[in-house]
PDB file of all heavy atoms in Angstrom:
ATOM      1  N   MET A  20       0.718  13.007 -27.131  1.00  0.00           N
ATOM      2  CA  MET A  20       1.681  13.894 -26.486  1.00  0.00           C
ATOM      3  C   MET A  20       2.494  14.567 -27.592  1.00  0.00           C
ATOM      4  O   MET A  20       3.143  13.888 -28.389  1.00  0.00           O
ATOM      5  CB  MET A  20       2.586  13.025 -25.586  1.00  0.00           C
ATOM      6  CG  MET A  20       3.707  13.760 -24.898  1.00  0.00           C
ATOM      7  SD  MET A  20       4.797  12.582 -24.017  1.00  0.00           S
ATOM      8  CE  MET A  20       3.986  12.469 -22.438  1.00  0.00           C
ATOM      9  N   VAL A  22       5.550  16.990 -28.985  1.00  0.00           N
ATOM     10  CA  VAL A  22       6.950  17.189 -28.555  1.00  0.00           C
ATOM     11  C   VAL A  22       7.427  18.593 -28.875  1.00  0.00           C
ATOM     12  O   VAL A  22       7.284  19.064 -30.007  1.00  0.00           O
ATOM     13  CB  VAL A  22       7.879  16.205 -29.297  1.00  0.00           C
ATOM     14  CG1 VAL A  22       9.337  16.403 -28.849  1.00  0.00           C
ATOM     15  CG2 VAL A  22       7.453  14.765 -29.074  1.00  0.00           C
ATOM     16  N   ASN A  24      11.112  20.154 -28.529  1.00  0.00           N
ATOM     17  CA  ASN A  24      12.521  20.025 -28.146  1.00  0.00           C
ATOM     18  C   ASN A  24      13.179  21.402 -28.203  1.00  0.00           C
ATOM     19  O   ASN A  24      13.331  21.967 -29.285  1.00  0.00           O
ATOM     20  CB  ASN A  24      13.247  19.072 -29.114  1.00  0.00           C
ATOM     21  CG  ASN A  24      12.911  17.620 -28.845  1.00  0.00           C
ATOM     22  OD1 ASN A  24      12.788  17.203 -27.708  1.00  0.00           O
ATOM     23  ND2 ASN A  24      12.747  16.842 -29.910  1.00  0.00           N
ATOM     24  N   SER A  29      18.446  18.171 -31.585  1.00  0.00           N
ATOM     25  CA  SER A  29      17.671  16.929 -31.587  1.00  0.00           C
ATOM     26  C   SER A  29      17.619  16.409 -33.013  1.00  0.00           C
ATOM     27  O   SER A  29      17.597  17.199 -33.965  1.00  0.00           O
ATOM     28  CB  SER A  29      16.266  17.150 -31.050  1.00  0.00           C
ATOM     29  OG  SER A  29      16.308  17.235 -29.654  1.00  0.00           O
ATOM     30  N   PHE A  30      17.587  15.095 -33.169  1.00  0.00           N
ATOM     31  CA  PHE A  30      17.800  14.573 -34.518  1.00  0.00           C
ATOM     32  C   PHE A  30      16.684  14.954 -35.467  1.00  0.00           C
ATOM     33  O   PHE A  30      16.888  15.104 -36.653  1.00  0.00           O
ATOM     34  CB  PHE A  30      18.026  13.054 -34.481  1.00  0.00           C
ATOM     35  CG  PHE A  30      16.768  12.256 -34.451  1.00  0.00           C
ATOM     36  CD1 PHE A  30      16.247  11.738 -35.623  1.00  0.00           C
ATOM     37  CD2 PHE A  30      16.105  12.016 -33.264  1.00  0.00           C
ATOM     38  CE1 PHE A  30      15.080  11.000 -35.616  1.00  0.00           C
ATOM     39  CE2 PHE A  30      14.928  11.289 -33.245  1.00  0.00           C
ATOM     40  CZ  PHE A  30      14.426  10.782 -34.415  1.00  0.00           C
ATOM     41  N   SER A  31      15.483  15.156 -34.938  1.00  0.00           N
ATOM     42  CA  SER A  31      14.361  15.350 -35.857  1.00  0.00           C
ATOM     43  C   SER A  31      13.887  16.795 -35.952  1.00  0.00           C
ATOM     44  O   SER A  31      13.347  17.185 -36.971  1.00  0.00           O
ATOM     45  CB  SER A  31      13.205  14.487 -35.398  1.00  0.00           C
ATOM     46  OG  SER A  31      12.882  14.838 -34.089  1.00  0.00           O
ATOM     47  N   ASP A  32      14.072  17.588 -34.907  1.00  0.00           N
ATOM     48  CA  ASP A  32      13.566  18.958 -34.968  1.00  0.00           C
ATOM     49  C   ASP A  32      14.510  19.931 -34.279  1.00  0.00           C
ATOM     50  O   ASP A  32      14.105  21.024 -33.879  1.00  0.00           O
ATOM     51  CB  ASP A  32      12.162  19.064 -34.355  1.00  0.00           C
ATOM     52  CG  ASP A  32      12.119  18.609 -32.904  1.00  0.00           C
ATOM     53  OD1 ASP A  32      13.123  18.048 -32.430  1.00  0.00           O
ATOM     54  OD2 ASP A  32      11.092  18.822 -32.262  1.00  0.00           O
ATOM     55  N   ASP A  58       5.232  17.625 -24.290  1.00  0.00           N
ATOM     56  CA  ASP A  58       6.478  17.150 -23.666  1.00  0.00           C
ATOM     57  C   ASP A  58       7.598  18.127 -24.010  1.00  0.00           C
ATOM     58  O   ASP A  58       7.931  18.296 -25.184  1.00  0.00           O
ATOM     59  CB  ASP A  58       6.791  15.757 -24.239  1.00  0.00           C
ATOM     60  CG  ASP A  58       7.877  15.024 -23.483  1.00  0.00           C
ATOM     61  OD1 ASP A  58       7.918  15.102 -22.251  1.00  0.00           O
ATOM     62  OD2 ASP A  58       8.689  14.333 -24.145  1.00  0.00           O
ATOM     63  N   GLU A  62      17.380  18.540 -23.753  1.00  0.00           N
ATOM     64  CA  GLU A  62      18.606  17.779 -23.983  1.00  0.00           C
ATOM     65  C   GLU A  62      18.354  16.762 -25.087  1.00  0.00           C
ATOM     66  O   GLU A  62      17.442  15.949 -24.973  1.00  0.00           O
ATOM     67  CB  GLU A  62      19.036  17.049 -22.699  1.00  0.00           C
ATOM     68  CG  GLU A  62      20.247  16.161 -22.926  1.00  0.00           C
ATOM     69  CD  GLU A  62      20.841  15.588 -21.643  1.00  0.00           C
ATOM     70  OE1 GLU A  62      20.091  15.257 -20.702  1.00  0.00           O
ATOM     71  OE2 GLU A  62      22.067  15.457 -21.594  1.00  0.00           O
ATOM     72  N   SER A  63      19.180  16.779 -26.125  1.00  0.00           N
ATOM     73  CA  SER A  63      19.018  15.795 -27.192  1.00  0.00           C
ATOM     74  C   SER A  63      19.522  14.432 -26.730  1.00  0.00           C
ATOM     75  O   SER A  63      20.529  14.341 -26.056  1.00  0.00           O
ATOM     76  CB  SER A  63      19.827  16.237 -28.415  1.00  0.00           C
ATOM     77  OG  SER A  63      19.865  15.170 -29.331  1.00  0.00           O
ATOM     78  N   THR A  64      18.750  13.399 -27.092  1.00  0.00           N
ATOM     79  CA  THR A  64      19.179  12.032 -26.751  1.00  0.00           C
ATOM     80  C   THR A  64      19.429  11.220 -28.005  1.00  0.00           C
ATOM     81  O   THR A  64      19.426   9.998 -27.978  1.00  0.00           O
ATOM     82  CB  THR A  64      18.091  11.342 -25.900  1.00  0.00           C
ATOM     83  OG1 THR A  64      16.823  11.528 -26.540  1.00  0.00           O
ATOM     84  CG2 THR A  64      18.041  11.906 -24.500  1.00  0.00           C
ATOM     85  N   ARG A  65      19.646  11.909 -29.125  1.00  0.00           N
ATOM     86  CA  ARG A  65      19.887  11.158 -30.366  1.00  0.00           C
ATOM     87  C   ARG A  65      21.150  10.304 -30.201  1.00  0.00           C
ATOM     88  O   ARG A  65      22.038  10.660 -29.406  1.00  0.00           O
ATOM     89  CB  ARG A  65      20.021  12.119 -31.545  1.00  0.00           C
ATOM     90  CG  ARG A  65      21.347  12.839 -31.573  1.00  0.00           C
ATOM     91  CD  ARG A  65      21.467  13.787 -32.759  1.00  0.00           C
ATOM     92  NE  ARG A  65      22.861  14.188 -32.918  1.00  0.00           N
ATOM     93  CZ  ARG A  65      23.481  15.032 -32.110  1.00  0.00           C
ATOM     94  NH1 ARG A  65      22.849  15.566 -31.069  1.00  0.00           N
ATOM     95  NH2 ARG A  65      24.754  15.333 -32.306  1.00  0.00           N
ATOM     96  N   ASP A  97      10.741  16.400 -20.194  1.00  0.00           N
ATOM     97  CA  ASP A  97      11.579  15.299 -20.681  1.00  0.00           C
ATOM     98  C   ASP A  97      12.991  15.562 -20.188  1.00  0.00           C
ATOM     99  O   ASP A  97      13.718  16.380 -20.761  1.00  0.00           O
ATOM    100  CB  ASP A  97      11.502  15.304 -22.217  1.00  0.00           C
ATOM    101  CG  ASP A  97      12.248  14.142 -22.852  1.00  0.00           C
ATOM    102  OD1 ASP A  97      13.070  13.501 -22.181  1.00  0.00           O
ATOM    103  OD2 ASP A  97      12.023  13.905 -24.059  1.00  0.00           O
ATOM    104  N   ASN A 116       8.987  12.804 -17.585  1.00  0.00           N
ATOM    105  CA  ASN A 116       9.318  11.813 -18.609  1.00  0.00           C
ATOM    106  C   ASN A 116      10.836  11.657 -18.616  1.00  0.00           C
ATOM    107  O   ASN A 116      11.548  12.526 -19.116  1.00  0.00           O
ATOM    108  CB  ASN A 116       8.805  12.310 -19.965  1.00  0.00           C
ATOM    109  CG  ASN A 116       9.273  11.435 -21.122  1.00  0.00           C
ATOM    110  OD1 ASN A 116       9.552  10.245 -20.939  1.00  0.00           O
ATOM    111  ND2 ASN A 116       9.374  12.032 -22.304  1.00  0.00           N
ATOM    112  N   ASP A 117      11.314  10.563 -18.058  1.00  0.00           N
ATOM    113  CA  ASP A 117      12.761  10.360 -17.924  1.00  0.00           C
ATOM    114  C   ASP A 117      13.167   9.190 -18.807  1.00  0.00           C
ATOM    115  O   ASP A 117      12.815   8.036 -18.516  1.00  0.00           O
ATOM    116  CB  ASP A 117      13.077  10.064 -16.454  1.00  0.00           C
ATOM    117  CG  ASP A 117      14.547   9.800 -16.203  1.00  0.00           C
ATOM    118  OD1 ASP A 117      15.334   9.740 -17.180  1.00  0.00           O
ATOM    119  OD2 ASP A 117      14.916   9.608 -15.024  1.00  0.00           O
ATOM    120  N   VAL A 118      13.894   9.470 -19.885  1.00  0.00           N
ATOM    121  CA  VAL A 118      14.249   8.383 -20.794  1.00  0.00           C
ATOM    122  C   VAL A 118      15.109   7.317 -20.114  1.00  0.00           C
ATOM    123  O   VAL A 118      15.179   6.179 -20.577  1.00  0.00           O
ATOM    124  CB  VAL A 118      14.950   8.853 -22.096  1.00  0.00           C
ATOM    125  CG1 VAL A 118      14.033   9.762 -22.915  1.00  0.00           C
ATOM    126  CG2 VAL A 118      16.281   9.512 -21.834  1.00  0.00           C
ATOM    127  N   VAL A 139       7.215   8.615 -16.345  1.00  0.00           N
ATOM    128  CA  VAL A 139       7.409   7.692 -17.465  1.00  0.00           C
ATOM    129  C   VAL A 139       8.688   6.903 -17.225  1.00  0.00           C
ATOM    130  O   VAL A 139       9.769   7.482 -17.098  1.00  0.00           O
ATOM    131  CB  VAL A 139       7.528   8.445 -18.812  1.00  0.00           C
ATOM    132  CG1 VAL A 139       7.756   7.448 -19.956  1.00  0.00           C
ATOM    133  CG2 VAL A 139       6.288   9.289 -19.075  1.00  0.00           C
ATOM    134  N   MET A 141      11.048   4.613 -19.075  1.00  0.00           N
ATOM    135  CA  MET A 141      11.371   4.148 -20.427  1.00  0.00           C
ATOM    136  C   MET A 141      12.444   3.066 -20.364  1.00  0.00           C
ATOM    137  O   MET A 141      13.279   3.075 -19.468  1.00  0.00           O
ATOM    138  CB  MET A 141      11.869   5.332 -21.273  1.00  0.00           C
ATOM    139  CG  MET A 141      11.799   5.051 -22.761  1.00  0.00           C
ATOM    140  SD  MET A 141      12.683   6.283 -23.747  1.00  0.00           S
ATOM    141  CE  MET A 141      14.357   5.669 -23.572  1.00  0.00           C
ATOM    142  N   ASP A 187       7.312   2.649 -21.280  1.00  0.00           N
ATOM    143  CA  ASP A 187       7.640   3.024 -22.666  1.00  0.00           C
ATOM    144  C   ASP A 187       8.778   2.105 -23.127  1.00  0.00           C
ATOM    145  O   ASP A 187       9.809   2.023 -22.446  1.00  0.00           O
ATOM    146  CB  ASP A 187       8.073   4.497 -22.640  1.00  0.00           C
ATOM    147  CG  ASP A 187       8.497   5.050 -23.991  1.00  0.00           C
ATOM    148  OD1 ASP A 187       8.891   4.279 -24.877  1.00  0.00           O
ATOM    149  OD2 ASP A 187       8.481   6.282 -24.146  1.00  0.00           O
ATOM    150  N   PRO A 188       8.608   1.424 -24.275  1.00  0.00           N
ATOM    151  CA  PRO A 188       9.668   0.510 -24.721  1.00  0.00           C
ATOM    152  C   PRO A 188      10.930   1.208 -25.217  1.00  0.00           C
ATOM    153  O   PRO A 188      11.920   0.539 -25.505  1.00  0.00           O
ATOM    154  CB  PRO A 188       8.996  -0.272 -25.854  1.00  0.00           C
ATOM    155  CG  PRO A 188       7.918   0.635 -26.363  1.00  0.00           C
ATOM    156  CD  PRO A 188       7.432   1.391 -25.163  1.00  0.00           C
ATOM    157  N   GLY A 189      10.920   2.533 -25.335  1.00  0.00           N
ATOM    158  CA  GLY A 189      12.159   3.254 -25.698  1.00  0.00           C
ATOM    159  C   GLY A 189      12.623   2.939 -27.116  1.00  0.00           C
ATOM    160  O   GLY A 189      13.780   2.576 -27.337  1.00  0.00           O
ATOM    161  N   LEU A 190      11.721   3.126 -28.084  1.00  0.00           N
ATOM    162  CA  LEU A 190      12.085   2.831 -29.479  1.00  0.00           C
ATOM    163  C   LEU A 190      13.307   3.662 -29.869  1.00  0.00           C
ATOM    164  O   LEU A 190      13.379   4.859 -29.581  1.00  0.00           O
ATOM    165  CB  LEU A 190      10.894   3.154 -30.400  1.00  0.00           C
ATOM    166  CG  LEU A 190       9.608   2.379 -30.089  1.00  0.00           C
ATOM    167  CD1 LEU A 190       8.460   2.859 -30.984  1.00  0.00           C
ATOM    168  CD2 LEU A 190       9.819   0.881 -30.248  1.00  0.00           C
ATOM    169  N   GLY A 191      14.278   3.015 -30.491  1.00  0.00           N
ATOM    170  CA  GLY A 191      15.492   3.717 -30.936  1.00  0.00           C
ATOM    171  C   GLY A 191      16.572   3.842 -29.886  1.00  0.00           C
ATOM    172  O   GLY A 191      17.679   4.257 -30.186  1.00  0.00           O
ATOM    173  N   PHE A 192      16.267   3.509 -28.632  1.00  0.00           N
ATOM    174  CA  PHE A 192      17.271   3.601 -27.568  1.00  0.00           C
ATOM    175  C   PHE A 192      17.904   2.233 -27.366  1.00  0.00           C
ATOM    176  O   PHE A 192      17.251   1.311 -26.850  1.00  0.00           O
ATOM    177  CB  PHE A 192      16.632   4.078 -26.260  1.00  0.00           C
ATOM    178  CG  PHE A 192      16.276   5.540 -26.262  1.00  0.00           C
ATOM    179  CD1 PHE A 192      15.113   5.990 -26.872  1.00  0.00           C
ATOM    180  CD2 PHE A 192      17.108   6.468 -25.648  1.00  0.00           C
ATOM    181  CE1 PHE A 192      14.779   7.343 -26.883  1.00  0.00           C
ATOM    182  CE2 PHE A 192      16.787   7.818 -25.648  1.00  0.00           C
ATOM    183  CZ  PHE A 192      15.623   8.254 -26.273  1.00  0.00           C
ATOM    184  N   LEU A 218       3.284   4.120 -23.299  1.00  0.00           N
ATOM    185  CA  LEU A 218       3.562   5.249 -24.190  1.00  0.00           C
ATOM    186  C   LEU A 218       4.421   4.732 -25.340  1.00  0.00           C
ATOM    187  O   LEU A 218       5.428   4.056 -25.113  1.00  0.00           O
ATOM    188  CB  LEU A 218       4.321   6.323 -23.398  1.00  0.00           C
ATOM    189  CG  LEU A 218       4.837   7.549 -24.158  1.00  0.00           C
ATOM    190  CD1 LEU A 218       3.688   8.358 -24.759  1.00  0.00           C
ATOM    191  CD2 LEU A 218       5.646   8.446 -23.215  1.00  0.00           C
ATOM    192  N   VAL A 219       4.018   5.052 -26.572  1.00  0.00           N
ATOM    193  CA  VAL A 219       4.768   4.604 -27.749  1.00  0.00           C
ATOM    194  C   VAL A 219       5.306   5.846 -28.457  1.00  0.00           C
ATOM    195  O   VAL A 219       4.547   6.730 -28.861  1.00  0.00           O
ATOM    196  CB  VAL A 219       3.875   3.769 -28.690  1.00  0.00           C
ATOM    197  CG1 VAL A 219       4.620   3.425 -29.977  1.00  0.00           C
ATOM    198  CG2 VAL A 219       3.426   2.490 -27.980  1.00  0.00           C
ATOM    199  N   ALA A 220       6.634   5.924 -28.586  1.00  0.00           N
ATOM    200  CA  ALA A 220       7.273   7.129 -29.121  1.00  0.00           C
ATOM    201  C   ALA A 220       8.089   6.764 -30.354  1.00  0.00           C
ATOM    202  O   ALA A 220       9.316   6.626 -30.302  1.00  0.00           O
ATOM    203  CB  ALA A 220       8.141   7.777 -28.047  1.00  0.00           C
ATOM    204  N   ALA A 221       7.388   6.605 -31.465  1.00  0.00           N
ATOM    205  CA  ALA A 221       8.041   6.187 -32.724  1.00  0.00           C
ATOM    206  C   ALA A 221       8.411   7.378 -33.596  1.00  0.00           C
ATOM    207  O   ALA A 221       9.142   7.218 -34.571  1.00  0.00           O
ATOM    208  CB  ALA A 221       7.084   5.289 -33.514  1.00  0.00           C
ATOM    209  N   SER A 222       7.942   8.546 -33.237  1.00  0.00           N
ATOM    210  CA  SER A 222       7.929   9.692 -34.140  1.00  0.00           C
ATOM    211  C   SER A 222       9.264   9.945 -34.840  1.00  0.00           C
ATOM    212  O   SER A 222      10.285  10.194 -34.196  1.00  0.00           O
ATOM    213  CB  SER A 222       7.517  10.940 -33.367  1.00  0.00           C
ATOM    214  OG  SER A 222       7.269  12.016 -34.241  1.00  0.00           O
ATOM    215  N   ARG A 223       9.251   9.883 -36.165  1.00  0.00           N
ATOM    216  CA  ARG A 223      10.376  10.238 -37.041  1.00  0.00           C
ATOM    217  C   ARG A 223      11.636   9.411 -36.790  1.00  0.00           C
ATOM    218  O   ARG A 223      12.716   9.778 -37.259  1.00  0.00           O
ATOM    219  CB  ARG A 223      10.729  11.723 -36.874  1.00  0.00           C
ATOM    220  CG  ARG A 223       9.607  12.655 -37.280  1.00  0.00           C
ATOM    221  CD  ARG A 223      10.006  14.097 -37.112  1.00  0.00           C
ATOM    222  NE  ARG A 223       9.038  14.999 -37.708  1.00  0.00           N
ATOM    223  CZ  ARG A 223       9.129  16.326 -37.674  1.00  0.00           C
ATOM    224  NH1 ARG A 223      10.142  16.894 -37.068  1.00  0.00           N
ATOM    225  NH2 ARG A 223       8.225  17.068 -38.247  1.00  0.00           N
ATOM    226  N   LYS A 224      11.516   8.312 -36.056  1.00  0.00           N
ATOM    227  CA  LYS A 224      12.749   7.615 -35.674  1.00  0.00           C
ATOM    228  C   LYS A 224      13.399   6.863 -36.841  1.00  0.00           C
ATOM    229  O   LYS A 224      12.787   6.623 -37.866  1.00  0.00           O
ATOM    230  CB  LYS A 224      12.482   6.721 -34.474  1.00  0.00           C
ATOM    231  CG  LYS A 224      12.398   7.612 -33.208  1.00  0.00           C
ATOM    232  CD  LYS A 224      12.369   6.882 -31.918  1.00  0.00           C
ATOM    233  CE  LYS A 224      12.457   7.939 -30.803  1.00  0.00           C
ATOM    234  NZ  LYS A 224      11.988   7.453 -29.520  1.00  0.00           N
ATOM    235  N   ARG A 265       3.793   9.667 -28.538  1.00  0.00           N
ATOM    236  CA  ARG A 265       4.580  10.919 -28.416  1.00  0.00           C
ATOM    237  C   ARG A 265       5.045  11.277 -29.817  1.00  0.00           C
ATOM    238  O   ARG A 265       5.788  10.521 -30.425  1.00  0.00           O
ATOM    239  CB  ARG A 265       5.759  10.643 -27.487  1.00  0.00           C
ATOM    240  CG  ARG A 265       6.730  11.806 -27.316  1.00  0.00           C
ATOM    241  CD  ARG A 265       7.937  11.377 -26.489  1.00  0.00           C
ATOM    242  NE  ARG A 265       8.883  12.453 -26.308  1.00  0.00           N
ATOM    243  CZ  ARG A 265       9.806  12.802 -27.203  1.00  0.00           C
ATOM    244  NH1 ARG A 265       9.900  12.161 -28.339  1.00  0.00           N
ATOM    245  NH2 ARG A 265      10.617  13.796 -26.949  1.00  0.00           N
ATOM    246  N   HIS A 267       6.009  14.474 -32.983  1.00  0.00           N
ATOM    247  CA  HIS A 267       6.437  15.845 -33.293  1.00  0.00           C
ATOM    248  C   HIS A 267       5.378  16.620 -34.062  1.00  0.00           C
ATOM    249  O   HIS A 267       5.198  17.796 -33.845  1.00  0.00           O
ATOM    250  CB  HIS A 267       7.734  15.809 -34.112  1.00  0.00           C
ATOM    251  CG  HIS A 267       8.854  15.150 -33.398  1.00  0.00           C
ATOM    252  ND1 HIS A 267       9.072  13.801 -33.440  1.00  0.00           N
ATOM    253  CD2 HIS A 267       9.819  15.655 -32.588  1.00  0.00           C
ATOM    254  CE1 HIS A 267      10.134  13.503 -32.706  1.00  0.00           C
ATOM    255  NE2 HIS A 267      10.597  14.600 -32.172  1.00  0.00           N
TER     256      HIS A 267
HETATM  257  N1  PMM B 301      12.526   9.622 -27.445  1.00  0.00           N
HETATM  258  C1  PMM B 301      13.189  10.777 -27.508  1.00  0.00           C
HETATM  259  C2  PMM B 301      13.051  11.732 -26.475  1.00  0.00           C
HETATM  260  N2  PMM B 301      12.264  11.485 -25.415  1.00  0.00           N
HETATM  261  N3  PMM B 301      10.754  10.078 -24.283  1.00  0.00           N
HETATM  262  C3  PMM B 301      10.094   8.926 -24.200  1.00  0.00           C
HETATM  263  N4  PMM B 301       9.289   8.674 -23.149  1.00  0.00           N
HETATM  264  N5  PMM B 301      10.218   7.963 -25.160  1.00  0.00           N
HETATM  265  C4  PMM B 301      11.008   8.130 -26.248  1.00  0.00           C
HETATM  266  O1  PMM B 301      11.116   7.206 -27.072  1.00  0.00           O
HETATM  267  C5  PMM B 301      11.723   9.347 -26.375  1.00  0.00           C
HETATM  268  C6  PMM B 301      11.575  10.319 -25.342  1.00  0.00           C
HETATM  269  C7  PMM B 301      14.080  11.050 -28.681  1.00  0.00           C
HETATM  270  O2  PMM B 301      13.372  11.601 -29.742  1.00  0.00           O
HETATM  271  P1  PMM B 301      13.349  13.171 -30.091  1.00  0.00           P
HETATM  272  O3  PMM B 301      14.766  13.687 -29.948  1.00  0.00           O
HETATM  273  O4  PMM B 301      12.869  13.220 -31.477  1.00  0.00           O
HETATM  274  O5  PMM B 301      12.413  13.870 -29.167  1.00  0.00           O
END
Side-chain angles (χ1 to χ4, degrees):
M20 177 186 272
V22 180
N24 284 321
S29 282
F30 84 96
S31 58
D32 58 351
D58 192 39
E62 176 171 36
S63 169
T64 49
R65 75 180 194 287
D97 184 344
N116 172 26
D117 178 355
V118 298
V139 179
M141 198 192 81
D187 178 337
L190 301 175
F192 286 80
L218 175 63
V219 174
S222 190
R223 297 181 170 178
K224 284 190 174 160
R265 176 186 180 278
H267 299 87

